[in-house]
Amino acid sequence: MSAATPAGYPESGAPRSTYTAERPATRETVKETKPSYKTTELMAYVAAVVAVLVASAVVGDGASGVDRFPADRAWLYITLLTIGYMVSRGLAKCGAGQGDDRRA
């Protein structure tokens, strides 16, 4: 059997500081990332998509009559850009809650 402290809590348990009212009464808020429409990631993504579409429309048939930048390749590049944008937003959201919530 373990000895009890003057407050009546066992000494082998958690430290007394966890039982006392030393914690702040306010709840800490987690800082969230910016909304996606306020980031430069979105602006860069939209600019890249527009550039791919314009390049696909402007680059026409070559001297041999073959389209050098067909629409299917342009849409593939847009799909890859979209995947990259989604991954970058996911990484931004993933690390959002790790600011002040870790204590030593």
Side-chain angles (χ1 to χ4, degrees), residues 32-54:
E32 191 65 34
T33 59
K34 284 194 235 178
S36 63
Y37 61 87
K38 289 185 176 181
T39 62
T40 55
E41 293 170 340
L42 179 67
M43 294 176 207
Y45 168 72
V46 169
V49 167
V50 169
V52 168
L53 291 174
V54 168

Side-chain angles (χ1 to χ4, degrees), residues 16-102:
R16 282 190 60 177
S17 62
T18 60
Y19 296 114
T20 60
E22 293 176 12
R23 292 185 182 183
T26 59
R27 175 181 256 189
E28 293 182 25
T29 58
V30 176
K31 187 175 180 181
E32 191 65 34
T33 59
K34 284 194 235 178
S36 63
Y37 61 87
K38 289 185 176 181
T39 62
T40 55
E41 293 170 340
L42 179 67
M43 294 176 207
Y45 168 72
V46 169
V49 167
V50 169
V52 168
L53 291 174
V54 168
S56 179
V58 170
V59 174
D61 296 336
S64 62
V66 177
D67 190 5
R68 294 180 294 171
F69 191 18
D72 60 339
R73 189 179 315 159
W75 285 109
L76 172 69
Y77 292 154
I78 291 172
T79 301
L80 295 175
L81 284 169
T82 304
I83 291 170
Y85 176 73
M86 292 173 71
V87 167
S88 72
R89 287 303 300 165
L91 290 174
K93 293 282 186 182
C94 174
Q98 296 182 359
D100 296 336
D101 59 347
R102 295 188 311 193

